[in-house]
Amino acid sequence: GKYVEIFFTTYGKICGASTTNYLLEKSRVVHVGEDERNYHIFFQICKGMDEEQKKALHLDDPSTFGFLNKGLLNVDGINDEEDFVEVMDAMQRLNMTQEEIRSVLTITAGVLNLGNITFHETKEKGVSKSTINEEKSVKIVAKLLGLDEEKLNMALVTRVFKSRGAEDINVPLSASDAMQVRDAMAKH
């Protein structure tokens, strides 16, 4: 990835920029070490938005999200509420429309809620089959990401086997495989 730092005059005009190349670790979205923290924007939206915004995006305390509660939740010297205000200000200074800002925040909330989809596994005729523990989580993610709920559910718990000249076959996934699919979706 690239980090672009844009410099502005006191009148809000761009007067320069600096680009830094870095490796964006997509895996951090779904897994962080105990002594690490996930991406700041997740914490900023959970702590910085007003209650009405959080309710609309199905956000709560960071400890309630599967992608966040395995790492550090708080870091000395970081104020997520203030940082959220700065992020919002930066988006507006970049002339992002309210619709664009809303889309960024909604997608971010959708990814965060994706981590709350969990699975349990059963055996049927010796074949592992996973189902989603709480359909409410799928409903939330589908709404936030603009997806069909039934198709999202199927995409998470089955894979499609295609064969020339034959109908597609939905093959059930184990709970472990379903979690990998969920995580891959969150990272991409």
mmCIF file with all atom_site columns, all heavy atoms in Angstrom, residues 5 7 13 19 43 68-69 74 113 115 120 124 146 148 163 168 172:
data_model
loop_
_atom_site.group_PDB
_atom_site.id
_atom_site.type_symbol
_atom_site.label_atom_id
_atom_site.label_alt_id
_atom_site.label_comp_id
_atom_site.label_asym_id
_atom_site.label_entity_id
_atom_site.label_seq_id
_atom_site.pdbx_PDB_ins_code
_atom_site.Cartn_x
_atom_site.Cartn_y
_atom_site.Cartn_z
_atom_site.occupancy
_atom_site.B_iso_or_equiv
_atom_site.pdbx_formal_charge
_atom_site.auth_seq_id
_atom_site.auth_comp_id
_atom_site.auth_asym_id
_atom_site.auth_atom_id
_atom_site.pdbx_PDB_model_num
ATOM 1   N N   . GLU A 1 5   ? 0.708   11.578  2.468   1.00 0.00 ? 5   GLU A N   1
ATOM 2   C CA  . GLU A 1 5   ? 0.524   12.681  3.387   1.00 0.00 ? 5   GLU A CA  1
ATOM 3   C C   . GLU A 1 5   ? 0.390   13.931  2.531   1.00 0.00 ? 5   GLU A C   1
ATOM 4   O O   . GLU A 1 5   ? 1.270   14.245  1.725   1.00 0.00 ? 5   GLU A O   1
ATOM 5   C CB  . GLU A 1 5   ? 1.728   12.793  4.328   1.00 0.00 ? 5   GLU A CB  1
ATOM 6   C CG  . GLU A 1 5   ? 1.543   13.781  5.435   1.00 0.00 ? 5   GLU A CG  1
ATOM 7   C CD  . GLU A 1 5   ? 2.697   13.748  6.431   1.00 0.00 ? 5   GLU A CD  1
ATOM 8   O OE1 . GLU A 1 5   ? 3.739   13.133  6.155   1.00 0.00 ? 5   GLU A OE1 1
ATOM 9   O OE2 . GLU A 1 5   ? 2.536   14.359  7.491   1.00 0.00 ? 5   GLU A OE2 1
ATOM 10  N N   . PHE A 1 7   ? -0.123  18.016  2.220   1.00 0.00 ? 7   PHE A N   1
ATOM 11  C CA  . PHE A 1 7   ? 0.132   19.253  2.954   1.00 0.00 ? 7   PHE A CA  1
ATOM 12  C C   . PHE A 1 7   ? -0.749  20.360  2.384   1.00 0.00 ? 7   PHE A C   1
ATOM 13  O O   . PHE A 1 7   ? -0.877  20.499  1.166   1.00 0.00 ? 7   PHE A O   1
ATOM 14  C CB  . PHE A 1 7   ? 1.607   19.638  2.860   1.00 0.00 ? 7   PHE A CB  1
ATOM 15  C CG  . PHE A 1 7   ? 2.526   18.547  3.325   1.00 0.00 ? 7   PHE A CG  1
ATOM 16  C CD1 . PHE A 1 7   ? 3.217   17.772  2.406   1.00 0.00 ? 7   PHE A CD1 1
ATOM 17  C CD2 . PHE A 1 7   ? 2.682   18.264  4.675   1.00 0.00 ? 7   PHE A CD2 1
ATOM 18  C CE1 . PHE A 1 7   ? 4.060   16.749  2.824   1.00 0.00 ? 7   PHE A CE1 1
ATOM 19  C CE2 . PHE A 1 7   ? 3.512   17.248  5.100   1.00 0.00 ? 7   PHE A CE2 1
ATOM 20  C CZ  . PHE A 1 7   ? 4.203   16.489  4.171   1.00 0.00 ? 7   PHE A CZ  1
ATOM 21  N N   . LYS A 1 13  ? -5.619  24.991  0.537   1.00 0.00 ? 13  LYS A N   1
ATOM 22  C CA  . LYS A 1 13  ? -5.164  24.566  -0.792  1.00 0.00 ? 13  LYS A CA  1
ATOM 23  C C   . LYS A 1 13  ? -4.008  23.585  -0.630  1.00 0.00 ? 13  LYS A C   1
ATOM 24  O O   . LYS A 1 13  ? -3.165  23.734  0.253   1.00 0.00 ? 13  LYS A O   1
ATOM 25  C CB  . LYS A 1 13  ? -4.680  25.766  -1.612  1.00 0.00 ? 13  LYS A CB  1
ATOM 26  C CG  . LYS A 1 13  ? -5.711  26.846  -1.789  1.00 0.00 ? 13  LYS A CG  1
ATOM 27  C CD  . LYS A 1 13  ? -6.290  26.790  -3.147  1.00 0.00 ? 13  LYS A CD  1
ATOM 28  C CE  . LYS A 1 13  ? -7.215  27.985  -3.336  1.00 0.00 ? 13  LYS A CE  1
ATOM 29  N NZ  . LYS A 1 13  ? -8.367  27.683  -4.069  1.00 0.00 ? 13  LYS A NZ  1
ATOM 30  N N   . THR A 1 19  ? 4.745   10.610  -0.313  1.00 0.00 ? 19  THR A N   1
ATOM 31  C CA  . THR A 1 19  ? 4.229   9.247   -0.435  1.00 0.00 ? 19  THR A CA  1
ATOM 32  C C   . THR A 1 19  ? 5.190   8.275   0.231   1.00 0.00 ? 19  THR A C   1
ATOM 33  O O   . THR A 1 19  ? 6.393   8.313   -0.001  1.00 0.00 ? 19  THR A O   1
ATOM 34  C CB  . THR A 1 19  ? 4.061   8.856   -1.916  1.00 0.00 ? 19  THR A CB  1
ATOM 35  O OG1 . THR A 1 19  ? 3.201   9.806   -2.542  1.00 0.00 ? 19  THR A OG1 1
ATOM 36  C CG2 . THR A 1 19  ? 3.461   7.473   -2.057  1.00 0.00 ? 19  THR A CG2 1
ATOM 37  N N   . PHE A 1 43  ? -11.789 1.130   16.149  1.00 0.00 ? 43  PHE A N   1
ATOM 38  C CA  . PHE A 1 43  ? -11.996 1.658   17.497  1.00 0.00 ? 43  PHE A CA  1
ATOM 39  C C   . PHE A 1 43  ? -12.583 3.066   17.438  1.00 0.00 ? 43  PHE A C   1
ATOM 40  O O   . PHE A 1 43  ? -13.426 3.433   18.253  1.00 0.00 ? 43  PHE A O   1
ATOM 41  C CB  . PHE A 1 43  ? -10.672 1.656   18.273  1.00 0.00 ? 43  PHE A CB  1
ATOM 42  C CG  . PHE A 1 43  ? -10.134 0.283   18.492  1.00 0.00 ? 43  PHE A CG  1
ATOM 43  C CD1 . PHE A 1 43  ? -9.240  -0.285  17.593  1.00 0.00 ? 43  PHE A CD1 1
ATOM 44  C CD2 . PHE A 1 43  ? -10.546 -0.474  19.582  1.00 0.00 ? 43  PHE A CD2 1
ATOM 45  C CE1 . PHE A 1 43  ? -8.757  -1.568  17.784  1.00 0.00 ? 43  PHE A CE1 1
ATOM 46  C CE2 . PHE A 1 43  ? -10.068 -1.761  19.779  1.00 0.00 ? 43  PHE A CE2 1
ATOM 47  C CZ  . PHE A 1 43  ? -9.171  -2.310  18.873  1.00 0.00 ? 43  PHE A CZ  1
ATOM 48  N N   . LEU A 1 68  ? -11.851 -7.628  17.252  1.00 0.00 ? 68  LEU A N   1
ATOM 49  C CA  . LEU A 1 68  ? -11.144 -6.673  18.107  1.00 0.00 ? 68  LEU A CA  1
ATOM 50  C C   . LEU A 1 68  ? -10.799 -7.207  19.488  1.00 0.00 ? 68  LEU A C   1
ATOM 51  O O   . LEU A 1 68  ? -9.781  -6.833  20.060  1.00 0.00 ? 68  LEU A O   1
ATOM 52  C CB  . LEU A 1 68  ? -11.987 -5.401  18.284  1.00 0.00 ? 68  LEU A CB  1
ATOM 53  C CG  . LEU A 1 68  ? -12.379 -4.643  17.026  1.00 0.00 ? 68  LEU A CG  1
ATOM 54  C CD1 . LEU A 1 68  ? -13.158 -3.391  17.383  1.00 0.00 ? 68  LEU A CD1 1
ATOM 55  C CD2 . LEU A 1 68  ? -11.164 -4.312  16.188  1.00 0.00 ? 68  LEU A CD2 1
ATOM 56  N N   . ASN A 1 69  ? -11.627 -8.083  20.033  1.00 0.00 ? 69  ASN A N   1
ATOM 57  C CA  . ASN A 1 69  ? -11.493 -8.424  21.450  1.00 0.00 ? 69  ASN A CA  1
ATOM 58  C C   . ASN A 1 69  ? -10.393 -9.434  21.778  1.00 0.00 ? 69  ASN A C   1
ATOM 59  O O   . ASN A 1 69  ? -10.262 -9.847  22.915  1.00 0.00 ? 69  ASN A O   1
ATOM 60  C CB  . ASN A 1 69  ? -12.840 -8.874  22.034  1.00 0.00 ? 69  ASN A CB  1
ATOM 61  C CG  . ASN A 1 69  ? -13.400 -10.096 21.360  1.00 0.00 ? 69  ASN A CG  1
ATOM 62  O OD1 . ASN A 1 69  ? -12.689 -10.847 20.709  1.00 0.00 ? 69  ASN A OD1 1
ATOM 63  N ND2 . ASN A 1 69  ? -14.705 -10.292 21.515  1.00 0.00 ? 69  ASN A ND2 1
ATOM 64  N N   . ASN A 1 74  ? -7.420  -0.835  24.493  1.00 0.00 ? 74  ASN A N   1
ATOM 65  C CA  . ASN A 1 74  ? -7.049  0.547   24.815  1.00 0.00 ? 74  ASN A CA  1
ATOM 66  C C   . ASN A 1 74  ? -5.537  0.674   24.819  1.00 0.00 ? 74  ASN A C   1
ATOM 67  O O   . ASN A 1 74  ? -4.837  -0.244  25.241  1.00 0.00 ? 74  ASN A O   1
ATOM 68  C CB  . ASN A 1 74  ? -7.604  0.949   26.189  1.00 0.00 ? 74  ASN A CB  1
ATOM 69  C CG  . ASN A 1 74  ? -9.109  0.913   26.212  1.00 0.00 ? 74  ASN A CG  1
ATOM 70  O OD1 . ASN A 1 74  ? -9.763  1.658   25.498  1.00 0.00 ? 74  ASN A OD1 1
ATOM 71  N ND2 . ASN A 1 74  ? -9.669  0.027   27.023  1.00 0.00 ? 74  ASN A ND2 1
ATOM 72  N N   . ASN A 1 113 ? -18.568 -6.109  11.782  1.00 0.00 ? 113 ASN A N   1
ATOM 73  C CA  . ASN A 1 113 ? -19.652 -7.019  12.169  1.00 0.00 ? 113 ASN A CA  1
ATOM 74  C C   . ASN A 1 113 ? -19.475 -8.410  11.581  1.00 0.00 ? 113 ASN A C   1
ATOM 75  O O   . ASN A 1 113 ? -19.963 -9.389  12.147  1.00 0.00 ? 113 ASN A O   1
ATOM 76  C CB  . ASN A 1 113 ? -21.011 -6.434  11.763  1.00 0.00 ? 113 ASN A CB  1
ATOM 77  C CG  . ASN A 1 113 ? -21.546 -5.472  12.790  1.00 0.00 ? 113 ASN A CG  1
ATOM 78  O OD1 . ASN A 1 113 ? -22.078 -5.882  13.806  1.00 0.00 ? 113 ASN A OD1 1
ATOM 79  N ND2 . ASN A 1 113 ? -21.381 -4.184  12.534  1.00 0.00 ? 113 ASN A ND2 1
ATOM 80  N N   . GLY A 1 115 ? -16.947 -10.185 11.675  1.00 0.00 ? 115 GLY A N   1
ATOM 81  C CA  . GLY A 1 115 ? -16.219 -10.967 12.666  1.00 0.00 ? 115 GLY A CA  1
ATOM 82  C C   . GLY A 1 115 ? -17.087 -11.546 13.759  1.00 0.00 ? 115 GLY A C   1
ATOM 83  O O   . GLY A 1 115 ? -16.644 -12.404 14.531  1.00 0.00 ? 115 GLY A O   1
ATOM 84  N N   . HIS A 1 120 ? -21.223 -23.317 14.038  1.00 0.00 ? 120 HIS A N   1
ATOM 85  C CA  . HIS A 1 120 ? -21.120 -24.589 14.753  1.00 0.00 ? 120 HIS A CA  1
ATOM 86  C C   . HIS A 1 120 ? -21.229 -25.699 13.708  1.00 0.00 ? 120 HIS A C   1
ATOM 87  O O   . HIS A 1 120 ? -21.737 -25.495 12.601  1.00 0.00 ? 120 HIS A O   1
ATOM 88  C CB  . HIS A 1 120 ? -22.144 -24.718 15.877  1.00 0.00 ? 120 HIS A CB  1
ATOM 89  C CG  . HIS A 1 120 ? -23.565 -24.806 15.445  1.00 0.00 ? 120 HIS A CG  1
ATOM 90  N ND1 . HIS A 1 120 ? -24.339 -23.702 15.195  1.00 0.00 ? 120 HIS A ND1 1
ATOM 91  C CD2 . HIS A 1 120 ? -24.366 -25.879 15.225  1.00 0.00 ? 120 HIS A CD2 1
ATOM 92  C CE1 . HIS A 1 120 ? -25.546 -24.072 14.833  1.00 0.00 ? 120 HIS A CE1 1
ATOM 93  N NE2 . HIS A 1 120 ? -25.594 -25.392 14.837  1.00 0.00 ? 120 HIS A NE2 1
ATOM 94  N N   . GLU A 1 124 ? -23.448 -34.999 9.231   1.00 0.00 ? 124 GLU A N   1
ATOM 95  C CA  . GLU A 1 124 ? -24.611 -35.569 8.583   1.00 0.00 ? 124 GLU A CA  1
ATOM 96  C C   . GLU A 1 124 ? -24.124 -36.630 7.612   1.00 0.00 ? 124 GLU A C   1
ATOM 97  O O   . GLU A 1 124 ? -23.440 -36.312 6.643   1.00 0.00 ? 124 GLU A O   1
ATOM 98  C CB  . GLU A 1 124 ? -25.375 -34.456 7.842   1.00 0.00 ? 124 GLU A CB  1
ATOM 99  C CG  . GLU A 1 124 ? -26.805 -34.799 7.539   1.00 0.00 ? 124 GLU A CG  1
ATOM 100 C CD  . GLU A 1 124 ? -27.529 -33.589 6.978   1.00 0.00 ? 124 GLU A CD  1
ATOM 101 O OE1 . GLU A 1 124 ? -27.817 -32.660 7.761   1.00 0.00 ? 124 GLU A OE1 1
ATOM 102 O OE2 . GLU A 1 124 ? -27.789 -33.585 5.763   1.00 0.00 ? 124 GLU A OE2 1
ATOM 103 N N   . GLY A 1 146 ? -24.849 -4.327  1.719   1.00 0.00 ? 146 GLY A N   1
ATOM 104 C CA  . GLY A 1 146 ? -25.733 -4.330  0.565   1.00 0.00 ? 146 GLY A CA  1
ATOM 105 C C   . GLY A 1 146 ? -25.775 -5.671  -0.154  1.00 0.00 ? 146 GLY A C   1
ATOM 106 O O   . GLY A 1 146 ? -25.835 -5.741  -1.375  1.00 0.00 ? 146 GLY A O   1
ATOM 107 N N   . ASP A 1 148 ? -27.367 -9.774  -0.490  1.00 0.00 ? 148 ASP A N   1
ATOM 108 C CA  . ASP A 1 148 ? -28.536 -10.616 -0.274  1.00 0.00 ? 148 ASP A CA  1
ATOM 109 C C   . ASP A 1 148 ? -28.223 -11.546 0.900   1.00 0.00 ? 148 ASP A C   1
ATOM 110 O O   . ASP A 1 148 ? -27.224 -12.264 0.887   1.00 0.00 ? 148 ASP A O   1
ATOM 111 C CB  . ASP A 1 148 ? -28.836 -11.421 -1.541  1.00 0.00 ? 148 ASP A CB  1
ATOM 112 C CG  . ASP A 1 148 ? -30.014 -12.343 -1.364  1.00 0.00 ? 148 ASP A CG  1
ATOM 113 O OD1 . ASP A 1 148 ? -29.785 -13.501 -0.935  1.00 0.00 ? 148 ASP A OD1 1
ATOM 114 O OD2 . ASP A 1 148 ? -31.134 -11.924 -1.658  1.00 0.00 ? 148 ASP A OD2 1
ATOM 115 N N   . SER A 1 163 ? -19.116 -28.611 -12.463 1.00 0.00 ? 163 SER A N   1
ATOM 116 C CA  . SER A 1 163 ? -18.695 -29.675 -13.342 1.00 0.00 ? 163 SER A CA  1
ATOM 117 C C   . SER A 1 163 ? -19.297 -29.415 -14.717 1.00 0.00 ? 163 SER A C   1
ATOM 118 O O   . SER A 1 163 ? -20.463 -29.024 -14.825 1.00 0.00 ? 163 SER A O   1
ATOM 119 C CB  . SER A 1 163 ? -19.176 -31.027 -12.801 1.00 0.00 ? 163 SER A CB  1
ATOM 120 O OG  . SER A 1 163 ? -18.813 -32.060 -13.674 1.00 0.00 ? 163 SER A OG  1
ATOM 121 N N   . ASP A 1 168 ? -24.456 -27.227 -10.813 1.00 0.00 ? 168 ASP A N   1
ATOM 122 C CA  . ASP A 1 168 ? -23.569 -26.880 -9.709  1.00 0.00 ? 168 ASP A CA  1
ATOM 123 C C   . ASP A 1 168 ? -24.030 -27.607 -8.454  1.00 0.00 ? 168 ASP A C   1
ATOM 124 O O   . ASP A 1 168 ? -25.226 -27.789 -8.227  1.00 0.00 ? 168 ASP A O   1
ATOM 125 C CB  . ASP A 1 168 ? -23.590 -25.376 -9.449  1.00 0.00 ? 168 ASP A CB  1
ATOM 126 C CG  . ASP A 1 168 ? -22.989 -24.569 -10.592 1.00 0.00 ? 168 ASP A CG  1
ATOM 127 O OD1 . ASP A 1 168 ? -22.365 -25.175 -11.483 1.00 0.00 ? 168 ASP A OD1 1
ATOM 128 O OD2 . ASP A 1 168 ? -23.144 -23.335 -10.579 1.00 0.00 ? 168 ASP A OD2 1
ATOM 129 N N   . PRO A 1 172 ? -21.113 -28.631 1.570   1.00 0.00 ? 172 PRO A N   1
ATOM 130 C CA  . PRO A 1 172 ? -21.057 -27.999 2.892   1.00 0.00 ? 172 PRO A CA  1
ATOM 131 C C   . PRO A 1 172 ? -19.618 -27.867 3.390   1.00 0.00 ? 172 PRO A C   1
ATOM 132 O O   . PRO A 1 172 ? -18.762 -28.702 3.104   1.00 0.00 ? 172 PRO A O   1
ATOM 133 C CB  . PRO A 1 172 ? -21.860 -28.938 3.784   1.00 0.00 ? 172 PRO A CB  1
ATOM 134 C CG  . PRO A 1 172 ? -22.004 -30.212 3.051   1.00 0.00 ? 172 PRO A CG  1
ATOM 135 C CD  . PRO A 1 172 ? -21.761 -29.940 1.605   1.00 0.00 ? 172 PRO A CD  1
#
